[in-house]
Amino acid sequence: MTLVPITYKGGIYQHDIVTDLIEDLGGYIIQKHVIAADVVLQCFVPRDDIELIRQIAKPLFGEVTDTPLVGTEIAIVSMSLEIHHLPHPSCDIAEYVRRIGAKSNMVSLARGPGKRIAGLNDEERDVINEHDIAVYLMGNFETCIEYKMPTLRRGIEVPIVLCGGPDKETLKKIIDPPVDGYVGNVGRFMRRTKEADEIDKLDEIVAEIIRVLEKKREEIQKDPLSVSPARLMGLIKEKVPAIHGVTSPTPLTVQMAGLRVKLPYDTFALELRDLEIEDGIKLGDVSDIVPSRMRDYILVKILPFSETNTVI
Amino acid sequence: MPAIEYFEVECPEPLGAEYYRQITNDVLLDHNLLRVIHKLHVYIDPKVPLFVAVGILKKITTRVCVGDFANVNPLEGKITLVISDETYLAPMLRIFWQKFGKDHVDQPDRFTVILYDVKADLKEIEEIIVADPSESLYKDLIYAFRCIAPEGFRLRSEIFNKEKFSFVASENTLAENVDEIIREKFALMGEVP
């Protein structure tokens, strides 16, 4: 059964019919937003059953759309939190990828700006590495990008999509060794992205992110995970009641090969390790439970089949 | 940018120059500073790295009088002012209190001010100067150029006077020949610093 990410948008009236249907079909609801009288569900559902969900949602005026970034956590790496980079373009891009279902975090570097003075510290490096992909938003000059990129990518293990002022070909030429994705002509700008050509650029960034993540998904499928992160999310919700007391918008953030649990590590790590998934297999057997560099959260890194010999 | 007679952005990277032209335009427009700049030349060399902006300012008389934002109606011993823009309301009230005393000034709602038993005619009240935005002009210009310049360029040298200005920024110590570069850029506009 292949699960695919979709978003359901509809009225709040009788939306539990859709929620129950998704759960009965073996799907998982990753995020649920209730906005006034509307409800938005980001979920994973079996590919063959999407049409069925559409049919059942039709009388409720519900809409089902493909959102390939559901279940991914993206780091939008901004060179600083100054007016030079915020709110445009950093926030515009971070907000746009959220519309396609991603959970995006803005990572702003303490010493990102400039050419010679640019740097990346260990905390920033570790926080970026906790994501599925890093989108680097660089400036307008190829000289600067060429000079500072080796410093800013040092120690980064996740795929990088590089956005910068020069065109795509120039970016490809100046970055050595190459990164996973490039989007040209998106450097620093001081206006809101609302014109058609600017929205097209945002679409181009999303398309590049999707392309790079698809490649990562294929890699994961070659050596499948011992347990699906979405399933683990449901399990933690069911068996760790403290998660319901977390006020964060996403107490459990699903990643492609893991989960961020927004509970304190010292208090809950042991409880999570001992959490039984099925037939006596504990979460600690199929995953590494490590402290996150983001606050005192817990990061669950699910191990692949080749390491555990188990697929649940 | 029609309000500026001369506007050039010079950079060894043509695409970078184009982007910085757009950034300069957006920032000056956002800060409402296009009306005060007559000529502007921006030079950026990311290799050095160096950012230079030189320009000529317009002679501006932007004093704001009561008549500019309020409708003054004298009626039966009192003068009613209907305010269309609240921006200068606070400084205007402060001046009225000083001039006429608090007993003679009343503000029944946000957009109305009434003056009682005031020995001043309509024209006199309309011509009271409330604010002079040009006082904060240099501060606004420096802030705008800090926004325009690449962010890491934190070592700055700026000279602003009534007619001309120059703004130099870099992330390295400024070179000794900066004055010469400023002179060159002024010459490109047909001016002297």
Side-chain angles (χ1 to χ4, degrees):
Chain A
M1 182 170 73
T2 318
L3 295 176
V4 289
I6 61 154
T7 295
Y8 169 85
K9 279 183 202 160
I12 198 158
Y13 175 67
Q14 286 192 343
H15 82 278
D16 49 336
I17 294 176
V18 181
T19 318
D20 291 345
L21 176 70
I22 291 167
E23 280 165 6
D24 292 346
L25 291 169
Y28 301 98
I29 295 167
I30 303 292
Q31 243 181 303
K32 178 181 172 180
H33 300 284
V34 179
I35 309 153
D38 290 328
V39 68
V40 179
L41 303 174
Q42 291 179 344
C43 35
F44 280 107
V45 296
R47 189 188 294 277
D48 304 335
D49 295 323
I50 294 178
E51 208 40 53
L52 176 68
I53 298 170
R54 277 211 176 100
Q55 276 172 19
I56 289 178
K58 211 172 178 184
L60 305 172
F61 299 105
E63 199 182 301
V64 176
T65 45
D66 289 334
T67 40
L69 295 181
V70 167
T72 60
E73 197 178 25
I74 298 174
I76 307 290
V77 184
S78 168
M79 292 302 117
S80 83
L81 280 179
E82 268 275 4
I83 184 81
H84 296 73
H85 303 274
L86 296 174
H88 325 295
S90 307
C91 296
D92 292 14
I93 295 169
E95 199 271 335
Y96 202 76
V97 295
R98 261 175 226 147
R99 291 186 196 183
I100 326 286
K103 166 81 178 70
S104 66
N105 294 322
M106 204 129 62
V107 181
S108 180
L109 307 183
R111 296 182 195 284
K115 187 176 136 190
R116 176 183 55 82
I117 56 172
L120 183 80
N121 66 30
D122 66 326
E123 189 184 359
E124 290 159 353
R125 179 200 63 204
D126 291 349
V127 166
I128 294 170
N129 279 336
E130 283 179 14
H131 292 79
D132 289 318
I133 189 171
V135 181
Y136 272 64
L137 305 178
M138 308 295 275
N140 288 331
F141 295 120
E142 59 175 275
T143 319
C144 292
I145 298 173
E146 188 179 9
Y147 189 93
K148 69 200 257 188
M149 197 54 197
T151 318
L152 297 185
R153 67 186 294 185
R154 199 172 295 148
I156 302 294
E157 286 152 9
V158 292
I160 295 174
V161 170
L162 180 76
C163 303
D167 53 47
K168 198 171 174 174
E169 277 63 42
T170 314
L171 287 176
K172 278 184 180 171
K173 202 171 68 189
I174 60 175
I175 303 299
D176 183 39
V179 291
D180 300 81
Y182 303 87
V183 184
N185 304 107
V186 190
R188 172 161 95 90
F189 52 85
M190 303 285 276
R191 52 159 64 187
R192 208 180 118 207
T193 43
K194 56 183 177 182
E195 304 292 333
D197 57 329
E198 292 159 351
I199 302 288
D200 287 348
K201 265 291 157 223
L202 294 179
D203 286 332
E204 199 181 321
I205 296 172
V206 167
E208 194 70 357
I209 293 171
I210 292 171
R211 187 185 66 78
V212 174
L213 285 180
E214 280 302 324
K215 224 160 59 178
K216 191 174 170 180
R217 246 183 215 133
E218 279 168 24
E219 287 295 316
I220 293 172
Q221 272 167 6
K222 282 179 196 163
D223 187 5
L225 298 173
S226 305
V227 57
S228 145
R231 182 181 175 188
L232 213 52
M233 181 186 169
L235 199 77
I236 293 173
K237 266 188 183 168
E238 194 185 309
K239 294 191 177 173
V240 185
I243 201 74
H244 299 290
V246 178
T247 51
S248 162
T250 52
L252 291 159
T253 307
V254 175
Q255 298 181 343
M256 289 173 86
L259 200 66
R260 190 189 301 284
V261 184
K262 293 179 181 171
L263 285 170
Y265 179 83
D266 292 338
T267 326
F268 289 95
L270 205 63
E271 192 181 333
L272 281 184
R273 273 195 198 103
D274 291 340
L275 188 78
E276 190 182 320
I277 304 173
E278 208 176 281
D279 300 331
I281 298 169
K282 291 177 179 170
L283 181 55
D285 301 334
V286 291
S287 65
D288 284 336
I289 295 173
V290 294
S292 165
R293 289 297 296 256
M294 211 184 272
R295 304 202 183 167
D296 57 349
Y297 297 155
I298 303 169
L299 197 65
V300 179
K301 292 179 178 173
I302 301 169
L303 298 171
F305 172 73
S306 59
E307 284 186 43
T308 59
N309 270 331
T310 321
V311 170
I312 315 166
Chain B
M1 225 181 330
I4 295 186
E5 192 190 292
Y6 173 98
F7 176 49
E8 281 302 324
V9 177
E10 187 187 348
C11 176
E13 291 179 24
L15 204 54
E18 206 179 294
Y19 291 132
Y20 268 83
R21 190 182 172 85
Q22 191 63 52
I23 289 172
T24 311
N25 189 17
D26 290 341
V27 173
L28 294 177
L29 203 63
D30 283 352
H31 291 87
N32 204 14
L33 289 169
L34 284 178
R35 64 197 166 86
V36 298
I37 295 176
H38 181 51
K39 291 180 179 179
L40 177 65
H41 188 96
V42 176
Y43 169 72
I44 314 164
D45 192 343
K47 282 204 171 90
V48 177
L50 184 70
F51 174 90
V52 179
V54 293
I56 309 290
L57 295 174
K58 276 181 195 164
K59 284 195 182 77
I60 44 164
T61 48
T62 54
R63 285 176 180 170
V64 180
C65 300
V66 172
D68 294 341
F69 62 93
N71 196 356
V72 187
N73 308 305
L75 191 72
E76 295 170 5
K78 62 180 184 181
I79 298 171
T80 309
L81 287 93
V82 181
I83 316 292
S84 56
D85 180 4
E86 278 183 291
T87 317
Y88 302 107
L89 186 63
M92 184 189 77
L93 281 173
R94 208 174 303 124
I95 291 168
F96 283 170
W97 290 338
Q98 264 175 11
K99 216 174 163 85
F100 309 122
K102 282 196 176 179
D103 293 349
H104 298 275
V105 183
D106 186 24
Q107 190 193 6
D109 65 67
R110 265 172 72 184
F111 296 103
T112 315
V113 174
I114 303 173
L115 305 174
Y116 295 100
D117 306 326
V118 170
K119 284 175 192 155
D121 66 357
L122 179 80
K123 205 170 174 220
E124 208 177 312
I125 289 176
E126 278 183 340
E127 284 175 358
I128 293 174
I129 295 163
V130 173
D132 187 359
S134 66
E135 281 170 13
S136 64
L137 176 70
Y138 301 134
K139 215 165 71 181
D140 294 348
L141 272 172
I142 292 171
Y143 178 75
F145 281 108
R146 278 180 60 190
C147 289
I148 295 166
E151 198 200 336
F153 291 20
R154 285 171 185 161
L155 292 166
R156 304 195 314 269
S157 155
E158 57 234 0
I159 301 167
F160 283 78
N161 61 36
K162 277 186 178 170
E163 288 173 0
K164 293 164 189 176
F165 67 88
S166 66
F167 179 99
V168 186
S170 175
E171 64 174 29
N172 297 333
T173 312
L174 295 176
E176 284 171 5
N177 66 345
V178 159
D179 291 340
E180 202 180 302
I181 295 170
I182 291 173
R183 212 171 297 125
E184 271 173 30
K185 302 309 162 196
F186 266 112
L188 288 172
M189 296 191 294
E191 303 280 344
V192 285

